Amino acid sequence: MTELRLFALEASRELGERISAKLGIPLSPHEERDFEDSEHKSRPLVNVRGDDVFVIQSLYADERESANDKLVRLLFFLGALRDASAGRVTAVVPYLAYARKDRKTNPRDPVTTRYVAALFEAVGIDRIIVMDVHNLAAYQNAFRCRTDHLEARPLFVEYFASFLGNEELVVLSPDAGGVKRAELFRRHLQHVLHKDISNAFMEKHRSGGIVSGETLVGRVAGRAVIVLDDLIGTGTTLARAAKACHALGAARVLAAATHGIFVGDANRVLGDPALDQVVITDTVPPFRLHPKVRAEKIHVLNIGALFAAAIERVHRGGSLAELLDE
């Protein structure tokens, strides 16, 4: 079997080290060099000829680099690996930038998901592994290379099952588009807890950046509600759902979303007492939130073990579907 090589670009070094520790193999050394005119280069510092290479980089903007910067750095490094005769190159991208713009909603709109896919394919990757993209079908259709899609659902189920077993529960999708995601989570949690769990969803319309719609379908009175989404931006969608649930007599409202971007007025919105807790994963660290909000409201789940298991299975030809079922 070919050797497994694991790289993590500097912006995702901490995540890479957690995945590396779970795999039991060290991160391979590489160089990232910035030039005075803001251009840069990156290259592996070990021989990768014929190796099965995985590169970790989560594509969110932070204080040092924009999503565009991280994307370009990743693409250049992937291209360098291909030029260095790597046997197989897999991009491990826990948070995939531009995945939300997956269709034309206005005349002459871009379909950015497809353009990003073309960039990855242009540098010659063989495979890409992501987690909870906004639209799974659009992601799978955009790429011509192999696509793998991990879900945070097992992590959320394990977490909520650890302390909600004695409560009446409702799983709520904050919009119609997330109903299928919420239903899969509800079934999984119901199976683990061996009890009936109700479902609900909210009406949501977005126009010109303005979110509207107040109708909630489902019974939440006297129950603990888990609002499930793929991503939190400003937090307004979750806040609307939490207020609607409390208005209808919910006992408490918790939220879960894979990617916590937390932009705009998220500190104030998430500080609303209507939301008891927000659970995210570390695909994107919650660095934009005030320490007080993080301490009181946010619980972060580690994706290291899940990605390590996925990388191991891809390397050895195992099944990712079985991994998620486990």
Side-chain angles (χ1 to χ4, degrees), residues 9 70-80 116 119-121 123:
L9 298 189
K70 291 183 178 181
L71 175 60
V72 170
R73 286 176 183 270
L74 176 58
L75 291 171
F76 286 0
F77 190 71
L78 295 169
V116 170
L119 291 172
F120 277 104
E121 291 159 2
V123 296

Side-chain angles (χ1 to χ4, degrees), residues 20-40:
S20 168
K22 293 294 184 180
L23 276 171
I25 63 171
L27 291 174
S28 293
H30 74 286
E31 176 190 27
E32 291 182 53
R33 181 181 173 190
D34 294 323
F35 298 105
E36 291 81 358
D37 61 356
S38 80
E39 293 184 2
H40 52 80

Side-chain angles (χ1 to χ4, degrees), residues 47-83:
N47 183 4
V48 297
R49 182 177 295 274
D51 291 345
D52 190 11
V53 183
F54 295 79
V55 184
I56 301 162
Q57 175 86 310
S58 204
L59 300 179
Y60 59 89
D62 59 26
E63 305 96 327
R64 296 178 300 170
E65 297 175 349
S66 68
N68 297 335
D69 292 331
K70 291 183 178 181
L71 175 60
V72 170
R73 286 176 183 270
L74 176 58
L75 291 171
F76 286 0
F77 190 71
L78 295 169
L81 289 167
R82 178 57 70 204
D83 288 345

Side-chain angles (χ1 to χ4, degrees), residues 170-210:
V170 179
V171 174
L172 182 144
S173 173
D175 55 49
V179 167
K180 184 175 181 180
R181 181 188 303 111
E183 176 61 11
L184 288 172
F185 169 75
R186 185 192 68 82
R187 290 181 185 178
H188 193 161
L189 185 60
Q190 182 171 266
H191 174 74
V192 170
L193 291 178
H194 306 290
K195 61 185 292 185
D196 290 334
I197 297 175
S198 301
N199 58 9
F201 74 91
M202 275 202 71
E203 171 193 25
K204 177 182 173 182
H205 307 287
R206 187 186 298 274
S207 178
I210 304 300

